């Protein structure tokens, strides 16, 4: 489940520089999953890693940490 939440945050409009609250992270994740769907999130994350291998890993590390803090 954390993978889906992290993928959704990774794809969302939320940026680390915004210093988002847990509430904003949860809302962004929920919105992204509803708009795109769980399976499509995974596909789009894979695409981003292929197209932007220089910055995608950092964003995913941030997304995973943010999801852990916001949902647990």
């Amino acid at each position: 489940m954390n993978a889906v939440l992290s993928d959704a945050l990774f794809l969302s409009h939320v940026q680390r520089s915004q210093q988002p609250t847990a509430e904003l992270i949860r809302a962004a994740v929920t919105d992204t999953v509803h708009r795109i769907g769980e399976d499509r999130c995974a596909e789009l994350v894979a695409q981003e890693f292929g197209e932007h291998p220089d910055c995608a890993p950092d964003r995913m590390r941030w997304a995973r940490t943010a999801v852990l803090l916001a949902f647990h």
Side-chain angles (χ1 to χ4, degrees):
M1 185 56 150
N2 280 347
V4 172
L5 301 176
S6 297
D7 287 353
L9 182 57
F10 178 95
L11 295 169
S12 76
H13 66 281
V14 176
Q15 298 297 315
R16 177 184 353 196
S17 61
Q18 292 174 285
Q19 298 179 340
T21 63
E23 184 177 313
L24 179 61
I25 289 168
R26 289 190 297 266
V29 166
T30 300
D31 177 64
T32 302
V33 170
H34 285 299
R35 277 187 308 105
I36 298 174
E38 291 181 16
D39 292 338
R40 186 74 175 132
C41 282
E43 293 171 16
L44 292 173
V45 167
Q47 181 179 341
E48 284 296 315
F49 268 83
E51 292 178 2
H52 305 285
D54 53 325
C55 59
D58 286 339
R59 180 153 175 87
M60 183 53 80
R61 278 190 287 278
W62 166 76
R64 287 180 179 164
T65 300
V67 161
L68 284 174
L69 295 173
F71 284 90
H72 300 286

